[in-house]
Amino acid sequence: MNQHVTKSLIPFNKPFIVGKELHYIAQAVTLGQISGDGFYTRQCSQLLQERFHIPRVLLTPSCTAALEMAAILCDLKPGDEVILPSYTFVSTANAIVREGATPVFVDIRPDTLNIDEALIEAAITPRTKAIFVVHYGGVSCEMETINDIARRHQLKVVEDAAQGVNAFYQGQPLGSLGDLATYSFHETKNYISGEGGALCINDPQLVSRAEIIRDKGTNRQEFFRGHVDKYTWVDVGSSYVPSEIVSAFLFGQLEMLEAISQRRETIYRFYEQGLAELEEHGLLRRPIIPAECVSNYHLFYILVKDQETRDSLMQHLNEAGIKAVFHYIPLHNSPYGKQVTTGSIHLPITENLSGRLLRLPMYYDITDSELEQVVDTIRRYFDR
Ligand SMILES: *Cc1c(COP(=O)(O)O)cnc(C)c1O
């Protein structure tokens, strides 16, 4: 008898197939077009537009690419300022810096870890052009307040909804609330295509320029519609169109949106219940979802008392074969963040929480027994 038992390794993330992804990829080849903007790209855009009430959705190769397009569409110029949280992925800030504009980092709320809307107005100057908000973990920023500030100061609002696909604020989908918004379909997000993203355009006046920027600065889309008799270079642009192979995979996932989101909620609830007692004992804090928000359960994190505890708990989990990770190094303290801002910036909540946060494994295929293992391992750590 083979008594050999291998310790199972629970990764932090794992790509998954839920539906017809592979069939659709084969289908895309059969249809005779694997460059962009074919059948599956259109299917995905249409599905996202209808489901999330967004006037125009353009698929992109990544959320990073969509953020770059958004920054161009905001007409950012050197000297302009853009307000954003420091607690975010670099792409939010890169998009701004690439246009020569200056990022102005604002602190986050201790409950949702989203930009603190109460601090935005004090950061506005005559040079402020836009607010880039980030819906952390699929929980919405306080968009009513933020959109009101933007209206009063005539600023554009861009939602970095990389983590916010199929999440809601006051009943409205994230991605439909700013002038522009961006989604990610990176393999670490809820709905995946390896790399992938989308630009959501809620201001109809920005649609035609967005199409041009996405297609290398040409008016090729107008040409396809028969509105011009040849296409040519009319604006700045780049190659922001994903391949049909990627879109075909994505369509297989988007068709299964409901199943994926249900599974993620189940995983989230398992962690939430499993760790409730540790929270009652003051050993950790679980995520908070305000009443006006419906989460897509993009991630599950815990906050522990200090960085030392976080690091040793992470090591404890890793030694048990469980990959738990943290993010983000606050951008205002990063080497490049310091170069593109002036003066010393102090964001106490961001600095404090980023050192105490730990993310737990979260992916569609994770089994109930693996989840139990994660929870038990965390309990054992605090039992010591
Ligand atoms: C993942 C992520 C991005 C980048 O998405 P890509 O599709 O990998 O380019 C940008 N912003 C936030 C907040 C993210 O979580």
Side-chain angles (χ1 to χ4, degrees), residues 333-362:
N333 283 335
S334 66
Y336 199 61
K338 283 179 185 162
Q339 270 184 53
V340 296
T341 52
T342 49
S344 86
I345 301 165
H346 187 45
L347 304 173
I349 310 288
T350 300
E351 287 156 21
N352 177 279
L353 296 189
S354 68
R356 295 166 43 208
L357 183 135
L358 191 63
R359 298 173 65 187
L360 305 183
M362 179 80 152

Side-chain angles (χ1 to χ4, degrees), residues 28-292:
V29 180
T30 308
L31 284 171
Q33 182 187 352
I34 55 172
S35 64
D37 278 337
F39 177 75
Y40 286 105
T41 310
R42 284 196 299 275
Q43 292 292 105
C44 290
S45 303
Q46 236 168 49
L47 187 152
L48 293 166
Q49 284 168 189
E50 282 163 20
R51 184 146 183 137
F52 300 133
H53 316 297
I54 297 164
R56 192 80 179 99
V57 174
L58 299 175
L59 291 201
T60 57
S62 65
C63 179
T64 302
L67 284 162
E68 289 177 17
M69 290 180 67
I72 298 169
L73 287 164
C74 285
D75 259 324
L76 297 183
K77 305 243 165 14
D80 290 343
E81 294 175 358
V82 177
I83 291 169
L84 76 163
S86 169
Y87 191 70
T88 181
F89 189 62
V90 286
S91 295
T92 326
N94 259 326
I96 296 160
V97 170
R98 283 170 47 88
E99 298 307 302
T102 304
V104 175
F105 295 115
V106 164
D107 215 349
I108 51 173
R109 289 166 44 146
D111 58 350
T112 57
L113 282 58
N114 283 328
I115 191 166
D116 188 340
E117 66 280 0
L119 302 176
I120 290 176
E121 235 162 341
I124 295 175
T125 75
R127 294 170 161 239
T128 308
K129 269 280 194 63
I131 308 170
F132 279 36
V133 301
V134 179
H135 303 301
Y136 180 66
V139 175
S140 182
C141 298
E142 186 23 60
M143 291 307 292
E144 192 176 333
T145 309
I146 293 167
N147 278 337
D148 178 61
I149 294 169
R151 244 188 317 274
R152 281 189 283 108
H153 295 271
Q154 298 184 328
L155 308 175
K156 289 245 188 297
V157 173
V158 175
E159 302 171 72
D160 180 343
Q163 305 175 15
V165 183
N166 201 30
F168 299 81
Y169 168 80
Q170 294 182 355
Q172 291 178 288
L174 305 193
S176 72
L177 303 164
D179 297 286
L180 295 161
T182 63
Y183 288 155
S184 176
F185 306 113
H186 185 264
E187 74 168 11
T188 51
K189 303 302 200 284
N190 289 26
Y191 315 100
I192 64 172
S193 59
E195 303 279 350
L199 178 69
C200 308
I201 308 163
N202 297 307
D203 176 354
Q205 291 186 355
L206 297 174
V207 172
S208 68
R209 185 157 190 236
E211 288 180 347
I212 289 166
I213 292 165
R214 180 167 170 269
D215 222 338
K216 296 97 186 166
T218 72
N219 57 351
R220 190 156 66 156
Q221 296 302 318
E222 287 289 277
F223 171 70
F224 285 148
R225 291 188 190 110
H227 296 170
V228 290
D229 61 2
K230 55 184 174 306
Y231 79 85
T232 182
W233 189 17
V234 295
D235 201 338
V236 70
S238 190
S239 181
Y240 289 133
V241 181
S243 153
E244 273 289 289
I245 292 178
V246 170
S247 302
F249 191 100
L250 181 62
F251 189 59
Q253 291 257 320
L254 293 179
E255 277 187 332
M256 299 299 283
L257 202 92
E258 219 40 70
I260 297 170
S261 105
Q262 273 171 25
R263 179 64 194 146
R264 289 194 90 97
E265 176 164 7
T266 305
I267 297 165
Y268 184 99
R269 298 285 176 218
F270 189 98
Y271 281 141
E272 194 180 42
Q273 281 160 28
L275 299 170
E277 203 185 318
L278 293 176
E279 181 167 314
E280 278 160 29
H281 288 101
L283 295 164
L284 55 78
R285 202 212 86 185
R286 298 164 301 162
I288 294 169
I289 304 173
E292 63 276 17

